[in-house]
Amino acid sequence: MTITSQDRTPYEVERSAALLMGFVNAVGDGCHHLAVAASANGATLSVSVPFHKDGEASDLDPDDALEAMEILTLAAMVGGGAVIRTHFADQTSEVRGWKLVEFYAKPLNASEIFSAYCTDAATGELIPPEWGVEYVAAPRLTV
């Protein structure tokens, strides 16, 4: 399923833009990657968007933003999630995530995001966490 700007209602465009900016504003200064995924009919579509944030300014690429908004729209309609990984100079990182439902982002707590990252999707068995990664509770988005 491909969603184009012609397929979206003004509400969907507004909400996906608000969600995208909510994710960008949810983290502090630094180097980040936003990953958004939507699953439908046994297939998963995803996008990874790098951005840096310094105070109120960010360098989110406009083309990446549009692609993220398309996947956000799909995820909001059929189910999906978003994760932000923040990279630090000492080679460690923090991971936080949200479940996307009907154009709202439900924050995941630290154990939910740990479980999502440390469970083998095929077998359901636990896998060791990545070195230097801290799984943290996601904040509520202001959208």
Side-chain angles (χ1 to χ4, degrees):
M1 169 186 233
T2 301
I3 296 175
T4 65
S5 58
Q6 299 91 288
D7 298 327
R8 294 198 215 159
T9 67
Y11 172 79
E12 291 168 343
V13 172
E14 183 180 309
R15 288 301 298 169
S16 63
L19 281 172
L20 179 59
M21 292 316 300
F23 291 130
V24 170
N25 293 329
V27 293
D29 291 352
C31 179
H32 310 280
H33 272 89
L34 168 66
V36 180
S39 297
N41 301 323
T44 300
L45 294 174
S46 63
V47 62
S48 178
V49 178
F51 67 96
H52 291 83
K53 188 170 174 199
D54 185 14
E56 295 294 314
S58 71
D59 68 351
L60 184 64
D61 179 80
D63 291 332
D64 287 346
L66 286 174
E67 188 175 359
M69 285 174 56
E70 289 196 17
I71 303 298
L72 278 168
T73 298
L74 182 60
M77 295 185 322
V78 300
V83 171
I84 294 180
R85 181 182 290 247
T86 301
H87 303 278
F88 298 108
D90 66 359
Q91 304 303 312
T92 62
S93 59
E94 288 181 347
V95 176
R96 59 191 48 82
W98 297 262
K99 180 179 178 180
L100 299 169
V101 180
E102 298 179 3
F103 290 100
Y104 292 94
K106 176 193 175 281
L108 300 177
N109 64 39
S111 64
E112 289 170 319
I113 195 69
F114 178 89
S115 180
Y117 265 76
C118 298
T119 302
D120 185 293
T123 66
E125 294 191 26
L126 291 178
I127 54 177
E130 294 178 63
W131 178 89
V133 175
E134 183 179 357
Y135 304 91
V136 299
R140 290 195 179 280
L141 298 187
T142 304
V143 293

